[in-house]
Amino acid sequence: MEELTNIIAKASENDTEDVKRFLFGSIEYTSLKCTDSETSIMQFVEQVNRWDNECPDLPHPATICVYPCFAEIVKDSLDVEGVGIACVSGSFPSSQTFLEVKIAETALAIKDGATEIDMVLPVGKFLSGDEEGVSDEIREMKAVCGPDIPLKVILETGCLGSAENIRKASWLAMNSGADYIKTSTGKEKIGATPEAAYVMCQCIKEYYEKEGRMVGFKPAGGINTSMDAIIYYTIVKEVLGEKWLTNRLFRLGTSRLADILIKEIEN
């Protein structure tokens, strides 16, 4: 992809303090570990509260992202106005359970305070050619969310096998009601990649030109450095344009990046 190579070459131009501040405000501060507990999640939320007090010149993260059973704890512990509560729902990260279970889990997450839902595309169904079944699941999940709760559909691009499948999955998700498309769960060997991000952003642009609806983009999984994030920022900027550079339409699924950005901004 010569165009992607040229875009990545421009990333150094965006290695600025202003961009890093923007990126901090686009973070979905995420804890999705099997060792998570009520205590650890309260401590996790307290970190966001501390940043708000200790770093008043920084924007707050866009959301805190947790498992559905911790939504109420986040809601009760969070003191920072404007930070959303994103919950991974629908049998994350495999998406392998009954649709009725996915719907119930999502409804419970929303009842407990989730303001955004992240679901995983049923990859097995997709790869076996059951596109109608995939679309039905996404539509059902969006119906539970309603118009006020954004639904992110995680494509798990590292499992899709080809750029054509990433393209097909992107369109399928958007046509079925996804408010965002997201690269990865972070639980597979391959997380976000610039190649997948480029294809997904192209699809978002084409979808907007056809349907007039702006769909958000969220890379997640393996975003370990500020330059990783800046590369995704640059892809969004070059493919989708400045109007996508808001923390409503561009998100970063990570936790480790927050401390890195603070240190680089303060230095």
Side-chain angles (χ1 to χ4, degrees), residues 135-176:
S135 180
D136 286 347
E137 287 206 16
I138 296 171
R139 291 182 190 277
E140 291 277 4
M141 292 285 276
K142 181 56 187 171
V144 179
C145 293
D148 298 328
I149 305 291
L151 176 67
K152 308 186 196 86
V153 177
I154 306 167
L155 305 185
E156 201 65 284
T157 53
C159 294
L160 294 181
S162 69
E164 183 55 36
N165 275 347
I166 294 172
R167 171 174 288 275
K168 188 184 297 183
S170 296
W171 274 94
L172 184 58
M174 292 187 291
N175 281 330
S176 302

Side-chain angles (χ1 to χ4, degrees), residues 89-99 102 105 119-125 137-138 141 154 156 185:
S89 187
S91 191
F92 179 93
S94 70
S95 194
Q96 299 285 18
T97 193
F98 303 102
L99 178 56
K102 296 180 181 183
E105 184 181 33
M119 68 167 285
V120 182
L121 183 96
V123 176
K125 281 187 178 181
E137 287 206 16
I138 296 171
M141 292 285 276
I154 306 167
E156 201 65 284
T185 62

Side-chain angles (χ1 to χ4, degrees), residues 47-246:
Q47 177 63 73
V48 176
N49 293 336
R50 282 198 299 271
W51 283 330
D52 193 54
N53 292 321
E54 296 171 3
C55 308
D57 294 333
L58 281 180
H60 56 66
T63 74
I64 293 173
C65 183
V66 294
Y67 284 109
C69 56
F70 299 119
E72 188 169 19
I73 293 168
V74 176
K75 181 181 69 175
D76 292 344
S77 305
L78 184 61
D79 297 330
V80 186
E81 187 175 346
V83 177
I85 303 171
C87 285
V88 292
S89 187
S91 191
F92 179 93
S94 70
S95 194
Q96 299 285 18
T97 193
F98 303 102
L99 178 56
E100 293 84 354
V101 173
K102 296 180 181 183
I103 289 170
E105 184 181 33
T106 301
L108 287 168
I110 293 169
K111 179 183 73 68
D112 280 355
T115 60
E116 301 181 6
I117 295 292
D118 292 29
M119 68 167 285
V120 182
L121 183 96
V123 176
K125 281 187 178 181
F126 176 83
L127 292 175
S128 64
D130 186 8
E131 293 185 18
E132 183 177 355
V134 173
S135 180
D136 286 347
E137 287 206 16
I138 296 171
R139 291 182 190 277
E140 291 277 4
M141 292 285 276
K142 181 56 187 171
V144 179
C145 293
D148 298 328
I149 305 291
L151 176 67
K152 308 186 196 86
V153 177
I154 306 167
L155 305 185
E156 201 65 284
T157 53
C159 294
L160 294 181
S162 69
E164 183 55 36
N165 275 347
I166 294 172
R167 171 174 288 275
K168 188 184 297 183
S170 296
W171 274 94
L172 184 58
M174 292 187 291
N175 281 330
S176 302
D179 298 294
Y180 293 75
I181 51 176
K182 174 179 169 180
T183 59
S184 324
T185 62
K187 303 299 185 181
E188 295 290 336
K189 290 182 180 179
I190 301 174
T193 65
E195 291 77 13
Y198 177 70
V199 172
M200 292 167 69
C201 287
Q202 282 185 316
C203 292
I204 291 170
K205 180 181 180 181
E206 293 163 9
Y207 181 83
Y208 174 65
E209 291 170 349
K210 180 182 178 183
E211 302 292 342
R213 184 168 74 93
M214 298 175 77
V215 173
F217 172 64
K218 179 181 173 180
I223 302 174
N224 298 317
T225 68
S226 61
M227 185 51 66
D228 289 339
I230 290 167
I231 286 171
Y232 293 118
Y233 171 96
T234 305
I235 291 170
V236 169
K237 180 180 180 181
E238 296 297 322
V239 176
L240 292 170
E242 297 278 352
K243 59 188 173 184
W244 257 266
L245 294 177
T246 73

